[in-house]
Amino acid sequence: GDKAFAQFLTDEIKEEKKIQKHKSLPKVSGGWELEVHGTEAKLVRKIAGEKITVTFNINNSIPPSADEETQEEQKPDEQEPDLTSTPNFVVEVIKDDTKQTLVLDCHYPEDEVGHEGEEESDIFTIREVSFQPTGEADWKDTNYTLNTDSLDWALYDHLMDFLADRGVDNTFADELIELSTALEHQEYIKFLEDLKSFVKCQ
């Protein structure tokens, strides 16, 4: 059984490498520096008096596949739709002269398709906003967290503008999907290779 498994993995790795779009990770425009630790990635950008970090984890970032019918209509020539990684991401804005960090928890809504009516629909939304003490590893549950579900729209729009002014806008969100998808695929191939070595090990 293990031999057949290892053979299957070898073929699978070949296939995955064939469809791998990026041999190296795509860059995010706007002067972001990328750090990757396993499945967690962090993008850092410094602008006048502020440091902005965006953190995301590729684990569980591929949404369960939508209705298969719609995908078949789109691409009759391909068997499988392209898997896209849309991770939740956390934006931290740290001002040099305060001890607080503004933390915005963002995610990609699953129903991105249903917005034809709106001209400019944002491809990501802010879910929660809170202040956390700068430099502390563990965030406190005792800090007030603003949930945007019941938020005044004007305030929400200002928060979105606040992020856009710091380079976190739709273009960034698109590039983050691209980066995350490439990273996820790279980790998947690495996982298959590790699994193969593990299965072959007597």
Side-chain angles (χ1 to χ4, degrees):
D2 283 5
K3 265 200 187 114
F5 192 8
Q7 186 51 53
F8 168 79
L9 288 168
T10 306
D11 298 342
E12 194 70 5
I13 290 163
K14 258 193 216 129
E15 282 306 305
E16 289 296 333
K17 282 191 167 160
K18 222 185 283 174
I19 59 171
Q20 193 172 18
K21 285 192 191 127
H22 304 279
K23 292 291 168 260
S24 61
L25 293 173
K27 295 263 185 289
V28 176
S29 57
W32 294 89
E33 283 171 36
L34 173 67
E35 298 166 27
V36 180
H37 305 285
T39 59
E40 188 175 82
K42 185 189 254 187
L43 290 158
V44 183
R45 181 174 188 239
K46 291 191 174 77
I47 50 175
E50 291 182 3
K51 178 179 162 188
I52 295 104
T53 67
V54 177
T55 317
F56 63 93
N57 195 317
I58 57 164
N59 279 337
N60 305 320
S61 65
I62 294 186
S65 50
D67 325 333
E68 282 161 24
E69 292 156 33
T70 54
Q71 286 163 349
E72 279 165 24
E73 284 164 28
Q74 288 166 350
K75 300 181 185 164
D77 53 336
E78 285 181 31
Q79 295 84 16
E80 290 179 33
D82 290 344
L83 293 177
T84 309
S85 160
T86 49
N88 297 344
F89 59 96
V90 175
V91 183
E92 297 171 58
V93 181
I94 303 159
K95 288 192 188 268
D96 292 349
D97 48 2
T98 66
K99 295 199 165 41
Q100 286 185 315
T101 299
L102 182 65
V103 179
L104 301 104
D105 193 341
C106 304
H107 75 141
Y108 294 97
E110 280 155 31
D111 55 345
E112 278 178 73
V113 200
H115 291 307
E116 285 98 29
E118 302 167 32
E119 273 86 76
E120 295 174 28
S121 169
D122 290 303
I123 61 172
F124 70 96
T125 59
I126 302 171
R127 216 168 18 187
E128 291 181 345
V129 188
S130 67
F131 279 111
Q132 297 295 346
T134 300
E136 287 198 20
D138 296 326
W139 290 342
K140 297 181 170 58
D141 289 338
T142 49
N143 288 6
Y144 179 74
T145 300
L146 175 68
N147 191 312
T148 56
D149 289 345
S150 52
L151 197 58
D152 178 312
W153 275 105
L155 177 52
Y156 182 83
D157 285 344
H158 278 298
L159 285 169
M160 287 299 270
D161 291 344
F162 176 84
L163 282 182
D165 290 342
R166 283 152 184 81
V168 180
D169 52 13
N170 276 347
T171 307
F172 172 85
D174 265 334
E175 291 180 1
L176 190 135
I177 290 178
E178 188 89 351
L179 168 65
S180 180
T181 302
L183 187 60
E184 203 282 334
H185 200 206
Q186 187 177 293
E187 285 295 317
Y188 176 61
I189 291 172
K190 192 167 151 289
F191 173 79
L192 292 177
E193 286 169 339
D194 291 346
L195 185 58
K196 188 177 95 177
S197 323
F198 187 83
V199 170
K200 282 172 98 171
C201 175
Q202 296 304 325

